[in-house]
Amino acid sequence: MPTPRFCPQCGSGDLRHQLPPGDTHERLMCQCCAYIHYVNPKIIAGCIIEQDGKYLLCQRAIPPRPGTWTLPAGFLESGETTEDGAVREVWEETGVRAEIVSPYSIFSVPQISEVYIIFRAVALEMTGQYGPETLDCRFFAPEDIPWDSIYYPAIRQILERYIEERQAGIYGIYMGNDFSGKIHFIR
Ligand SMILES: [Zn+2]
């Protein structure tokens, strides 16, 4: 999120990083009207959708990294639940009407202030109609997945884990980040 140069409340250019009274983090504060600029992480919600051992991937048409393949996912909108956002992104990016099965991965990327929440889901209907953010979308068998063109290593790890877990018939929930994390199995 770009740092504002002017106060969005009163238009003053006198913004300074300060610790608000009783707060734990420094914030950009307006010296004229006491507006406090909070910057909080963004949430990306998406789905891993498997059907008959094949996995739904979409090819990005837009930056970052156009041409790479990824799970359908995108930024949550205000007023939306994570589940609704995930299903909406699947619809927009693949034209698939999906239904959530369970959470699958809660993955934090604190370096860029993003949190990915990925659900297991099933496809109810495939229309073949998708939006301009997608070049192509397809169900891939594991051996056909374009492994070298997957958008981000964490997405690759989610796919690899799902393929293993499907063989075992037991699905876990990952919580963590790039450096450390744990797969939780609930009995
Ligand atoms: Zn102000």
PDB file of all heavy atoms in Angstrom, residues 6-15 29-35, ligand 1:
ATOM      1  N   PHE A   6      -0.644  13.064   1.776  1.00  0.00           N
ATOM      2  CA  PHE A   6      -1.547  14.047   2.380  1.00  0.00           C
ATOM      3  C   PHE A   6      -2.569  13.313   3.240  1.00  0.00           C
ATOM      4  O   PHE A   6      -2.923  12.174   2.951  1.00  0.00           O
ATOM      5  CB  PHE A   6      -2.263  14.857   1.302  1.00  0.00           C
ATOM      6  CG  PHE A   6      -1.314  15.645   0.444  1.00  0.00           C
ATOM      7  CD1 PHE A   6      -0.912  15.154  -0.792  1.00  0.00           C
ATOM      8  CD2 PHE A   6      -0.783  16.856   0.895  1.00  0.00           C
ATOM      9  CE1 PHE A   6      -0.017  15.868  -1.576  1.00  0.00           C
ATOM     10  CE2 PHE A   6       0.121  17.568   0.118  1.00  0.00           C
ATOM     11  CZ  PHE A   6       0.512  17.075  -1.127  1.00  0.00           C
ATOM     12  N   CYS A   7      -3.002  13.990   4.279  1.00  0.00           N
ATOM     13  CA  CYS A   7      -4.001  13.392   5.171  1.00  0.00           C
ATOM     14  C   CYS A   7      -5.305  13.177   4.413  1.00  0.00           C
ATOM     15  O   CYS A   7      -5.861  14.122   3.843  1.00  0.00           O
ATOM     16  CB  CYS A   7      -4.232  14.300   6.373  1.00  0.00           C
ATOM     17  SG  CYS A   7      -5.582  13.712   7.422  1.00  0.00           S
ATOM     18  N   PRO A   8      -5.837  11.922   4.384  1.00  0.00           N
ATOM     19  CA  PRO A   8      -7.094  11.679   3.670  1.00  0.00           C
ATOM     20  C   PRO A   8      -8.287  12.338   4.370  1.00  0.00           C
ATOM     21  O   PRO A   8      -9.358  12.453   3.785  1.00  0.00           O
ATOM     22  CB  PRO A   8      -7.220  10.159   3.653  1.00  0.00           C
ATOM     23  CG  PRO A   8      -6.268   9.648   4.657  1.00  0.00           C
ATOM     24  CD  PRO A   8      -5.252  10.702   4.935  1.00  0.00           C
ATOM     25  N   GLN A   9      -8.099  12.774   5.609  1.00  0.00           N
ATOM     26  CA  GLN A   9      -9.218  13.358   6.360  1.00  0.00           C
ATOM     27  C   GLN A   9      -9.261  14.881   6.219  1.00  0.00           C
ATOM     28  O   GLN A   9     -10.315  15.445   5.972  1.00  0.00           O
ATOM     29  CB  GLN A   9      -9.077  12.965   7.840  1.00  0.00           C
ATOM     30  CG  GLN A   9     -10.289  13.235   8.679  1.00  0.00           C
ATOM     31  CD  GLN A   9     -10.236  12.470   9.986  1.00  0.00           C
ATOM     32  OE1 GLN A   9     -10.614  11.293  10.067  1.00  0.00           O
ATOM     33  NE2 GLN A   9      -9.719  13.117  11.011  1.00  0.00           N
ATOM     34  N   CYS A  10      -8.086  15.547   6.362  1.00  0.00           N
ATOM     35  CA  CYS A  10      -8.115  17.023   6.344  1.00  0.00           C
ATOM     36  C   CYS A  10      -7.241  17.616   5.240  1.00  0.00           C
ATOM     37  O   CYS A  10      -7.243  18.831   5.027  1.00  0.00           O
ATOM     38  CB  CYS A  10      -7.695  17.582   7.705  1.00  0.00           C
ATOM     39  SG  CYS A  10      -5.912  17.521   8.005  1.00  0.00           S
ATOM     40  N   GLY A  11      -6.473  16.781   4.520  1.00  0.00           N
ATOM     41  CA  GLY A  11      -5.676  17.270   3.396  1.00  0.00           C
ATOM     42  C   GLY A  11      -4.324  17.843   3.780  1.00  0.00           C
ATOM     43  O   GLY A  11      -3.558  18.248   2.908  1.00  0.00           O
ATOM     44  N   SER A  12      -3.993  17.849   5.038  1.00  0.00           N
ATOM     45  CA  SER A  12      -2.705  18.385   5.493  1.00  0.00           C
ATOM     46  C   SER A  12      -1.545  17.535   4.967  1.00  0.00           C
ATOM     47  O   SER A  12      -1.677  16.319   4.812  1.00  0.00           O
ATOM     48  CB  SER A  12      -2.671  18.397   7.022  1.00  0.00           C
ATOM     49  OG  SER A  12      -1.337  18.487   7.476  1.00  0.00           O
ATOM     50  N   GLY A  13      -0.422  18.172   4.685  1.00  0.00           N
ATOM     51  CA  GLY A  13       0.765  17.441   4.262  1.00  0.00           C
ATOM     52  C   GLY A  13       1.682  17.115   5.424  1.00  0.00           C
ATOM     53  O   GLY A  13       2.754  16.538   5.232  1.00  0.00           O
ATOM     54  N   ASP A  14       1.265  17.424   6.627  1.00  0.00           N
ATOM     55  CA  ASP A  14       2.126  17.228   7.800  1.00  0.00           C
ATOM     56  C   ASP A  14       1.819  15.886   8.453  1.00  0.00           C
ATOM     57  O   ASP A  14       1.102  15.793   9.449  1.00  0.00           O
ATOM     58  CB  ASP A  14       1.920  18.386   8.784  1.00  0.00           C
ATOM     59  CG  ASP A  14       3.003  18.405   9.855  1.00  0.00           C
ATOM     60  OD1 ASP A  14       3.932  17.570   9.781  1.00  0.00           O
ATOM     61  OD2 ASP A  14       2.912  19.251  10.763  1.00  0.00           O
ATOM     62  N   LEU A  15       2.356  14.809   7.829  1.00  0.00           N
ATOM     63  CA  LEU A  15       2.161  13.457   8.359  1.00  0.00           C
ATOM     64  C   LEU A  15       3.486  12.966   8.923  1.00  0.00           C
ATOM     65  O   LEU A  15       4.523  13.100   8.286  1.00  0.00           O
ATOM     66  CB  LEU A  15       1.680  12.506   7.245  1.00  0.00           C
ATOM     67  CG  LEU A  15       0.367  12.870   6.546  1.00  0.00           C
ATOM     68  CD1 LEU A  15       0.135  11.954   5.345  1.00  0.00           C
ATOM     69  CD2 LEU A  15      -0.809  12.770   7.490  1.00  0.00           C
ATOM     70  N   MET A  29       0.809   9.590  11.376  1.00  0.00           N
ATOM     71  CA  MET A  29      -0.240  10.377  12.043  1.00  0.00           C
ATOM     72  C   MET A  29      -0.265  11.796  11.494  1.00  0.00           C
ATOM     73  O   MET A  29       0.780  12.402  11.263  1.00  0.00           O
ATOM     74  CB  MET A  29       0.010  10.423  13.553  1.00  0.00           C
ATOM     75  CG  MET A  29      -0.192   9.086  14.239  1.00  0.00           C
ATOM     76  SD  MET A  29       0.185   9.171  16.010  1.00  0.00           S
ATOM     77  CE  MET A  29      -1.134  10.196  16.614  1.00  0.00           C
ATOM     78  N   CYS A  30      -1.485  12.314  11.309  1.00  0.00           N
ATOM     79  CA  CYS A  30      -1.648  13.700  10.870  1.00  0.00           C
ATOM     80  C   CYS A  30      -1.450  14.629  12.060  1.00  0.00           C
ATOM     81  O   CYS A  30      -2.035  14.421  13.130  1.00  0.00           O
ATOM     82  CB  CYS A  30      -3.035  13.884  10.266  1.00  0.00           C
ATOM     83  SG  CYS A  30      -3.359  15.593   9.799  1.00  0.00           S
ATOM     84  N   GLN A  31      -0.632  15.665  11.841  1.00  0.00           N
ATOM     85  CA  GLN A  31      -0.328  16.587  12.926  1.00  0.00           C
ATOM     86  C   GLN A  31      -1.426  17.637  13.092  1.00  0.00           C
ATOM     87  O   GLN A  31      -1.441  18.372  14.075  1.00  0.00           O
ATOM     88  CB  GLN A  31       1.013  17.287  12.657  1.00  0.00           C
ATOM     89  CG  GLN A  31       2.151  16.308  12.431  1.00  0.00           C
ATOM     90  CD  GLN A  31       2.357  15.341  13.588  1.00  0.00           C
ATOM     91  OE1 GLN A  31       2.593  15.771  14.718  1.00  0.00           O
ATOM     92  NE2 GLN A  31       2.250  14.038  13.334  1.00  0.00           N
ATOM     93  N   CYS A  32      -2.331  17.694  12.122  1.00  0.00           N
ATOM     94  CA  CYS A  32      -3.384  18.721  12.179  1.00  0.00           C
ATOM     95  C   CYS A  32      -4.677  18.182  12.797  1.00  0.00           C
ATOM     96  O   CYS A  32      -5.297  18.833  13.618  1.00  0.00           O
ATOM     97  CB  CYS A  32      -3.667  19.265  10.788  1.00  0.00           C
ATOM     98  SG  CYS A  32      -2.253  20.126  10.100  1.00  0.00           S
ATOM     99  N   CYS A  33      -5.102  16.976  12.358  1.00  0.00           N
ATOM    100  CA  CYS A  33      -6.420  16.500  12.802  1.00  0.00           C
ATOM    101  C   CYS A  33      -6.341  15.190  13.584  1.00  0.00           C
ATOM    102  O   CYS A  33      -7.373  14.618  13.928  1.00  0.00           O
ATOM    103  CB  CYS A  33      -7.355  16.329  11.608  1.00  0.00           C
ATOM    104  SG  CYS A  33      -7.021  14.864  10.611  1.00  0.00           S
ATOM    105  N   ALA A  34      -5.116  14.685  13.808  1.00  0.00           N
ATOM    106  CA  ALA A  34      -4.928  13.462  14.614  1.00  0.00           C
ATOM    107  C   ALA A  34      -5.397  12.189  13.891  1.00  0.00           C
ATOM    108  O   ALA A  34      -5.544  11.139  14.516  1.00  0.00           O
ATOM    109  CB  ALA A  34      -5.586  13.567  15.987  1.00  0.00           C
ATOM    110  N   TYR A  35      -5.622  12.263  12.546  1.00  0.00           N
ATOM    111  CA  TYR A  35      -5.908  11.059  11.770  1.00  0.00           C
ATOM    112  C   TYR A  35      -4.737  10.074  11.903  1.00  0.00           C
ATOM    113  O   TYR A  35      -3.575  10.471  11.870  1.00  0.00           O
ATOM    114  CB  TYR A  35      -6.111  11.431  10.291  1.00  0.00           C
ATOM    115  CG  TYR A  35      -6.098  10.241   9.353  1.00  0.00           C
ATOM    116  CD1 TYR A  35      -7.220   9.442   9.187  1.00  0.00           C
ATOM    117  CD2 TYR A  35      -4.941   9.922   8.636  1.00  0.00           C
ATOM    118  CE1 TYR A  35      -7.195   8.357   8.335  1.00  0.00           C
ATOM    119  CE2 TYR A  35      -4.911   8.831   7.782  1.00  0.00           C
ATOM    120  CZ  TYR A  35      -6.042   8.054   7.639  1.00  0.00           C
ATOM    121  OH  TYR A  35      -6.003   6.978   6.803  1.00  0.00           O
TER     122      TYR A  35
HETATM  123 ZN    ZN B   1      -5.479  15.436   8.996  1.00  0.00          ZN
END
